[in-house]
């Protein structure tokens, strides 16, 4: 990502919204509950026999991040991680600055086994499987004392190289290089790749999840972050032959909206289509909350008219010079989740609002479903479903 693009994205970040795929910071995502490039990828010892391990993970508190070398993993593996920084309004600014300084120091970790010459920031994380066995991860959250046991033998991390512990301003993160690091403790190896997903600050990290999307029993890595209003998303599988991460899907340059098309017809009709899979649904705007008087053109426009964007018909006939190919469109990616089809096929579900004329005129939600295609080694369009907002 160039600096101009990165600055634009940073400026537009308003807040981190709650999203469906949990990450280290509030939760660590579990396998089965259950963004990276192909360049600069490395790993080691991928052909070693899988060993059952217990990942003893301590999260938060005064922990300094500690990530053991997987080559030395035997039995129990002691791991220390941190959480997103939580500002406390009940303490003084001076005391908070002191805590913040210590917190940033604790994020630094020695990952020389993965080829990092200097200490790096370790942020988002997830637990999962690359080889199914009886391995478990036992977590203790130091801030609350709560404990949790989940299945897994590998750890996914977002790693930031090239930043200093003094950094607390977004502009300073321009100097960073970001990586996805997948450590397989059962097989004593790791997989590393540079990614476009960068650290936005200490209070909102990227979200990671490990879950099986290809149906082969090994988990894939899902990473996402909400930029302004929309979610940027990447899905990667472990490429054991190349000891790297293979991109299955990413919406940086193109996304699921390219599959979609929509147009208007007479009698206030909206046609929603995914032509590649033969999906077509016709929706009457009269069935989603509008009245005829809301949709008919006016001789004299009203500056206070909330419906002027959808006044596209005259005597029920579409005024064609008022519309174009973008009049019906999918808006921001609002939610990402993983489901299974009736046949048991893993599906990645992407939910967006369906708009007519303007982003304020939402008529419902469209769920686009992607599935893994072995021939193309990527996620492809599988299904779609429209839900009118009046049906909720």
């Amino acid at each position: 990502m160039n600096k101009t693009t990165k600055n634009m994205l940073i400026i537009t970040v308003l807040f981190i919204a709650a999203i469906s795929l949990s990450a280290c910071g509030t939760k660590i995502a579990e396998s089965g509950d259950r963004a990276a490039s192909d360049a600069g990828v490395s790993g080691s010892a991928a052909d070693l026999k899988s060993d059952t391990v217990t990942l003893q993970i301590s999260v938060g508190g005064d922990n300094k991040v500690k990530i053991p070398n997987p080559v030395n993993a035997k039995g129990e593996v002691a791991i220390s991680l941190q959480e997103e920084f939580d500002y406390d309004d009940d303490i003084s600014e001076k005391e908070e600055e002191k805590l913040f300084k210590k917190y940033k120091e604790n994020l630094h970790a020695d990952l020389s086994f993965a080829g990092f010459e200097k200490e790096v920031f370790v942020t988002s994380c997830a637990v999962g499987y690359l080889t199914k066995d009886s391995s478990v991860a036992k977590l203790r959250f130091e801030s609350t004392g709560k404990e949790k046991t989940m299945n897994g033998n590998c750890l996914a991390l977002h790693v930031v190289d090239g930043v200093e512990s003094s950094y607390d301003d977004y502009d300073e993160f321009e100097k960073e290089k970001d990586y996805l690091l997948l450590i397989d403790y059962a097989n004593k190896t790791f997989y590393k790749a540079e990614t476009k997903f960068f650290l936005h600050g200490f209070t909102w990290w990227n979200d990671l999840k490990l879950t099986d999307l290809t149906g082969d029993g090994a988990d894939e890595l899902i990473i996402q972050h909400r930029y302004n209003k929309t979610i940027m998303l990447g899905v990667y599988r472990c490429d054991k032959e190349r000891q790297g991460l293979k991109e299955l899907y990413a919406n940086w340059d193109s996304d699921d909206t390219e599959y979609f098309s929509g147009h208007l017809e007479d009698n206030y009709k909206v046609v929603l289509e995914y032509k590649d899979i033969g999906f077509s649904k016709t929706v009457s705007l009269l069935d989603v909350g509008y009245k005829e008087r809301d949709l008919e053109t006016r001789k004299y426009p009203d500056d206070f008219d909330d419906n002027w964007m959808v006044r596209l018909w005259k005597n029920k006939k579409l005024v064609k010079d008022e519309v174009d190919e973008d009049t019906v469109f999918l808006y921001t990616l609002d939610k990402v989740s993983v489901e299974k089809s009736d046949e048991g096929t893993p599906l990645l579900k992407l939910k967006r609002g369906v708009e007519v004329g303007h982003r304020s005129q939402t008529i419902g939600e469209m769920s686009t479903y992607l599935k893994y295609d072995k021939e193309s080694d990527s996620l492809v369009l599988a299904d779609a479903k429209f839900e009118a907002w009046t049906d909720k």
Side-chain angles (χ1 to χ4, degrees):
M1 181 187 302
N2 59 45
K3 291 185 177 181
T4 301
T5 302
K6 186 175 286 189
N7 279 334
M8 290 174 66
L9 290 173
I10 290 170
I11 292 170
T12 57
V13 171
L14 298 179
F15 58 88
I16 181 69
I19 50 182
S20 61
L21 302 178
S22 304
C24 182
T26 53
K27 299 178 183 177
I28 295 185
E30 178 180 5
S31 169
D33 229 29
R34 288 179 125 198
S37 68
D38 289 334
V41 177
S42 62
S44 61
D47 58 344
L48 293 182
K49 183 179 179 181
S50 174
D51 293 326
T52 299
V53 295
T54 298
L55 306 182
Q56 297 283 0
I57 304 176
S58 176
V59 183
D62 293 328
N63 283 336
K64 180 172 175 61
V65 173
K66 179 183 177 182
I67 310 296
N69 188 334
V71 172
N72 302 324
K74 289 183 178 181
E76 291 192 357
V77 182
I79 299 169
S80 296
L81 299 169
Q82 265 298 334
E83 300 178 285
E84 296 167 333
F85 187 74
D86 185 14
Y87 285 98
D88 189 346
D89 295 332
D90 295 329
I91 64 176
S92 67
E93 184 175 341
K94 185 176 181 180
E95 182 65 19
E96 190 164 67
E97 287 178 358
K98 183 179 179 180
L99 291 175
F100 190 36
K101 181 179 180 181
K102 178 65 175 177
Y103 167 80
K104 288 186 288 185
E105 292 173 352
N106 286 340
L107 283 182
H108 275 92
D110 178 5
L111 294 182
S112 55
F113 71 81
F116 295 101
E117 295 181 359
K118 298 181 179 180
E119 286 194 339
V120 294
F121 275 169
V122 176
T123 58
S124 311
C125 57
V127 172
Y129 279 119
L130 288 182
T131 304
K132 285 294 178 70
D133 57 21
S134 57
S135 295
V136 296
K138 297 182 178 181
L139 293 92
R140 176 179 172 82
F141 296 88
E142 302 300 336
S143 59
T144 62
K146 292 183 178 180
E147 298 182 351
K148 181 178 181 179
T149 299
M150 57 177 61
N151 299 319
N153 53 24
C154 63
L155 189 68
L157 301 170
H158 178 251
V159 176
V160 189
D161 190 18
V163 295
E164 306 295 334
S165 61
S166 60
Y167 284 8
D168 57 9
D169 185 86
Y170 300 127
D171 293 338
E172 294 174 304
F173 290 121
E174 288 184 7
K175 303 174 184 178
E176 74 188 40
K177 286 188 177 180
D178 298 84
Y179 295 85
L180 296 177
L181 182 64
L182 189 57
I183 306 173
D184 184 355
Y185 283 102
N187 288 293
K188 302 179 186 299
T189 188
F190 68 88
Y191 304 88
K192 168 188 170 187
E194 193 169 349
T195 178
K196 293 181 179 180
F197 287 87
F198 60 94
L199 179 65
H200 301 263
F202 298 99
T203 57
W204 50 85
W205 296 352
N206 295 296
D207 290 274
L208 302 183
K209 184 178 180 67
L210 286 165
T211 190
D212 185 7
L213 282 173
T214 61
D216 64 355
D219 287 338
E220 279 65 54
L221 176 60
I222 300 174
I223 180 171
Q224 64 173 318
H225 192 90
R226 186 178 293 274
Y227 295 89
N228 194 0
K229 293 182 178 181
T230 196
I231 295 172
M232 300 307 298
L233 176 68
V235 181
Y236 308 91
R237 72 165 177 83
C238 183
D239 185 346
K240 294 184 178 180
E241 293 183 1
R242 296 181 59 251
Q243 299 242 305
L245 297 176
K246 170 65 170 62
E247 182 180 281
L248 301 182
Y249 178 83
N251 62 355
W252 288 102
D253 301 317
S254 61
D255 58 32
D256 53 291
T257 62
E258 295 189 358
Y259 299 117
F260 173 82
S261 64
H263 65 272
L264 302 178
E265 294 183 347
D266 294 341
N267 296 310
Y268 320 118
K269 299 292 180 65
V270 184
V271 180
L272 312 174
E273 295 181 307
Y274 287 81
K275 295 180 180 179
D276 291 348
I277 57 172
F279 175 92
S280 181
K281 184 174 183 62
T282 301
V283 180
S284 171
L285 291 184
L286 301 181
D287 294 333
V288 293
Y290 291 95
K291 306 295 184 183
E292 287 192 24
R293 62 176 179 272
D294 302 325
L295 304 170
E296 289 285 326
T297 59
R298 286 181 170 180
K299 185 175 181 179
Y300 301 105
D302 183 349
D303 292 338
F304 299 98
D305 181 8
D306 292 335
N307 297 311
W308 66 267
M309 298 81 84
V310 290
R311 294 190 179 281
L312 303 171
W313 288 266
K314 184 175 183 179
N315 298 324
K316 299 184 180 182
K317 296 291 185 181
L318 183 65
V319 182
K320 294 185 179 181
D321 60 357
E322 294 290 334
V323 301
D324 57 31
E325 61 182 10
D326 296 322
T327 300
V328 181
F329 61 96
L330 300 183
Y331 196 37
T332 54
L333 179 55
D334 299 321
K335 186 176 181 180
V336 178
S337 58
V338 177
E339 298 183 358
K340 285 190 175 182
S341 69
D342 294 338
E343 296 76 26
T345 302
L347 299 173
L348 188 66
K349 180 180 178 180
L350 311 179
K351 184 173 286 189
R352 297 176 181 268
V354 181
E355 323 293 335
V356 176
H358 187 268
R359 64 176 182 264
S360 64
Q361 304 296 316
T362 305
I363 64 171
E365 290 181 329
M366 182 67 78
S367 294
T368 305
Y369 296 88
L370 306 180
K371 69 177 180 180
Y372 178 68
D373 177 65
K374 188 174 183 179
E375 183 176 351
S376 64
D377 197 16
S378 65
L379 297 185
V380 299
L381 181 63
D383 200 1
K385 181 180 179 181
F386 173 76
E387 183 179 14
W389 73 268
T390 51
D391 293 337
K392 293 183 178 299

